[in-house]
Every structure is written in structure tokens, then in C-alpha cells.
Amino acid sequence: MQDTTTWALRALCAASLFVVGISSADPIQFVTIGDPGNAADPANPSPPNPVPAKHYGAVNYSYQIGKYEITEQQYVDFLNAVGKTDTHSLFSFGMFPSFGGSDQPMFSHITQSGSAGNLSYSVPANYANLPMNYLTSASSFRYANWLTNGQPTGLQTAATTEAGSYDLSGLDASTQTIDQVTRSANAKYVVPTTDEWYKAAYYNPATHSYFLYATGTNISPGFSLPDVNGNNANENVAAGSADPTLKRTPIGSYVNTHSPYGVFDMDGNVYEMTESLINGQAFNYMGGGYNGNLNFQSLEVYFQPFIVGGGSPMEGLRIALVPEPASMAVLCLTGLGFMTRRSRR
């Protein structure tokens, strides 16, 4: 008769639980999103824009998601690793600190120096922890590939940015468009799906239900800083800016406000890209935004086509980390085999 350890391991494998060691060189902090096999949100109200009729949040595996949005500093690290020759325009016009002739806080503040073959990038310390914006679907996929490949340095090739979690080789060959790019079978670091993002934002594992807001409550958030009592988010923040529509806040500024899983800024700062398509045509992004045009419509499932071109000051990224199917299968088969032999003894 099998002992309880065997059954525990069997349950672990069935639930697709996994443990991932993050390198000390990896600046991204992750939180685990558990309770695999949860039901979708049964009470998803109609969002403000037409989307396919579907309820969101069901994910049948455990995974991890970034505790914070990707920052300007994290993106600068990426550019310095693979952007000495910026073949695929990972650095775009909106990332200049003085785009439009003035120093606007809505724009990224990354400076590019040098010439092709020896380009370098930097960001001022007071902008380093702001959420990165002006990211496109292509640059987001390439950032995920770079992480999956171990954060290498070199030209923008299959070894660095063009393969890994997403195969982008067809873009150069003009045999695919960006909306045809899908997650690879052995993907690791990824742009989250709508369901992965939604669950991390609204799902309450304690009650197996969903909150209306990604602040762990059904009460509409405010946007006060400092975040003394919680339930606040960067949606139309006026503090420190002459124009409240042009204000990003450093990641985690709302220290007492997070989703039930402990994820920050999912109801504010920048909209966050997903790899899911709206009607098979355009990537959608999720969450609230600092320009104040959302006003926390209940429930914050806000779908908009994600611009494939140059991006915008409202569009950013949160990275997810998913289990690799092949390695999970080996782990489960090996572990169960060992435990079965042990129980027979």
C-alpha cells in the first residue's frame, strides 16, 4: 500500500506545482500564484469595450508573476546586454527623456549614447524605478526571450532575443506578423495571458472567489499618497506633477495596497500587456492607468488593442514565469517512481 508521501507527491504533480530558483543576478521579484484548477470569475461584468464573451481567471497550473511592473532600470539592463547594435529597435522614440522638446514625466528617461556596434544606455536614478513604458508587443516578447535564455549579452539573435519563449524568426523572414506569435511549448519567462494576469489581480485563494478590484477589495480605490490605510492606486495621481495625467509613480509606492497574492500596481501606473488577442487581431492590455481615463470601472478588466508599432506612454509590462511541461513531467514520473518503489519495500 502506498504511503502518504506518495499521495502527496502525486497531488503535487497533478496540481503542476513547481519551485524555481531565481538567480541573484535577476532583479525581478516574483510571487507564486497557486490554487491551480480554479474556476473562472462567474461575475465578470461587461467591460467598456467589445471583447469575446468569456469569463476570465481560470488557470490549471501554478505559476509566478512579477511582484512589480518592469522598470526603466530593468529595461536599461536589457538594452545594454543586447542593444549595442539595435537591430530590432528595442529602443524607440518615446524612450528619449526630452521627446517633444520638454522633460515630460510621461516619457521614459533612457539615454542612448554611441554609435551602432557600440551603443550604450542609461537612466537617471530618480527615474530608474518608474514602470517602463513605450513597450510594444515585439519588444515585450524579446525581453521575455532574453530572460528565458539566461540574460546573455550579444547581438539580437536566436541566442538572445529572437527565440526562447517566443519564436520571432518569421518576423525577419516576413512569413509572420506579430499577432501570429504564440508561446512556445517550453516557454519559461513570458508575457502573461489574460487569464494569468486576471487571476493574479483579482482572485482570492482563501475564498476561491474574485474581488472587484486588484487591491483586494470590492470598494473602489482612492489614489492618495502616502498610502497609509491601503486601497489606493496610481489612477490620476496629482502629487508632485503640474499635470495629473502625466505622472507615473515608482513601483510599490502604494505600500499597503496589493492584490490578494501580494502583487502591486495592478490597478494603476501603466496598462500591462498580455499575450492574448482581442478577436484574434490585437493584443490586449490590463489594469488601470495613471492618465485617469479609467476611473476604476468595476471590475477592472479593461481591454484595449495593444499598439504594435511605437507603443505609448501608458503601455508597460509585467513578466510571468510558468512551469516547463517537459521538466515537470520528468520530475513527476521520477518522483512517483521512486516513492512507489520505496512504499513497496
Side-chain angles (χ1 to χ4, degrees):
M1 184 174 181
Q2 293 180 341
D3 61 20
T4 55
T5 308
T6 304
W7 288 109
L9 183 57
R10 187 183 298 277
L12 178 69
C13 293
S16 299
L17 294 173
F18 63 101
V19 178
V20 180
I22 303 299
S23 167
S24 60
D26 187 349
I28 303 174
Q29 298 181 52
F30 289 94
V31 297
T32 297
I33 311 300
D35 200 9
N38 65 296
D41 185 359
N44 181 12
S46 298
N49 295 295
V51 295
K54 179 185 175 184
H55 293 219
Y56 295 92
V59 182
N60 63 7
Y61 46 86
S62 290
Y63 59 103
Q64 295 185 322
I65 199 165
K67 187 175 183 179
Y68 307 107
E69 295 157 323
I70 295 302
T71 66
E72 290 196 32
Q73 182 61 62
Q74 288 167 335
Y75 198 75
V76 162
D77 293 341
F78 169 54
L79 290 173
N80 280 322
V82 300
K84 290 186 182 300
T85 298
D86 192 13
T87 307
H88 295 293
S89 301
L90 300 178
F91 179 76
S92 66
F93 70 93
M95 298 175 188
F96 286 98
S98 58
F99 176 73
S102 61
D103 188 21
Q104 296 282 5
M106 68 185 294
F107 297 105
S108 300
H109 278 60
I110 297 174
T111 299
Q112 182 189 68
S113 305
S115 57
N118 195 33
L119 294 170
S120 63
Y121 308 83
S122 62
V123 61
N126 58 324
Y127 282 88
N129 283 327
L130 292 179
M132 187 64 200
N133 55 3
Y134 277 96
L135 294 178
T136 66
S137 46
S139 59
S140 298
F141 290 152
R142 289 184 165 106
Y143 184 80
N145 280 345
W146 176 68
L147 293 173
T148 296
N149 291 328
Q151 303 174 45
T153 58
L155 298 176
Q156 294 168 18
T157 66
T160 57
T161 63
E162 304 308 291
S165 290
Y166 304 93
D167 182 1
L168 304 176
S169 59
L171 295 178
D172 285 338
S174 299
T175 58
Q176 68 179 158
T177 56
I178 192 64
D179 59 296
Q180 295 173 316
V181 174
T182 58
R183 185 180 294 186
S184 302
N186 291 317
K188 187 176 179 182
Y189 294 90
V190 296
V191 177
T193 64
T194 296
D195 284 317
E196 289 166 348
W197 194 100
Y198 193 105
K199 181 177 180 178
Y202 308 115
Y203 183 70
N204 182 4
T207 59
H208 310 290
S209 61
Y210 292 82
F211 285 111
L212 287 179
Y213 301 99
T215 58
T217 180
N218 292 327
I219 301 172
S220 180
F223 46 82
S224 299
L225 275 178
D227 180 30
V228 177
N229 298 317
N231 198 29
N232 289 291
N234 183 0
E235 202 274 340
N236 198 9
V237 172
S241 174
D243 185 343
T245 69
L246 303 178
K247 179 69 175 178
R248 289 174 293 155
T249 49
I251 57 168
S253 292
Y254 293 85
V255 295
N256 293 313
T257 300
H258 50 72
S259 78
Y261 279 109
V263 187
F264 288 79
D265 294 318
M266 299 191 89
D267 264 353
N269 244 353
V270 291
Y271 298 131
E272 298 174 19
M273 182 194 170
T274 76
E275 65 169 39
S276 302
L277 296 174
I278 299 176
N279 295 323
Q281 296 177 336
F283 296 103
N284 65 277
Y285 54 85
M286 303 287 289
Y290 66 84
N291 71 341
N293 68 355
L294 182 56
N295 297 319
F296 291 125
Q297 291 151 332
S298 85
L299 181 129
E300 296 297 18
V301 104
Y302 191 63
F303 295 87
Q304 287 280 15
F306 193 90
I307 299 172
V308 174
S312 88
M314 292 300 298
E315 294 164 0
L317 175 66
R318 189 183 303 268
I319 286 289
L321 181 58
V322 296
E324 298 174 85
S327 60
M328 177 54 61
V330 170
L331 173 64
C332 291
L333 289 174
T334 302
L336 287 174
F338 172 79
M339 296 310 302
T340 300
R341 289 195 301 273
R342 181 182 176 187
S343 65
R344 286 174 180 170
R345 291 177 183 175

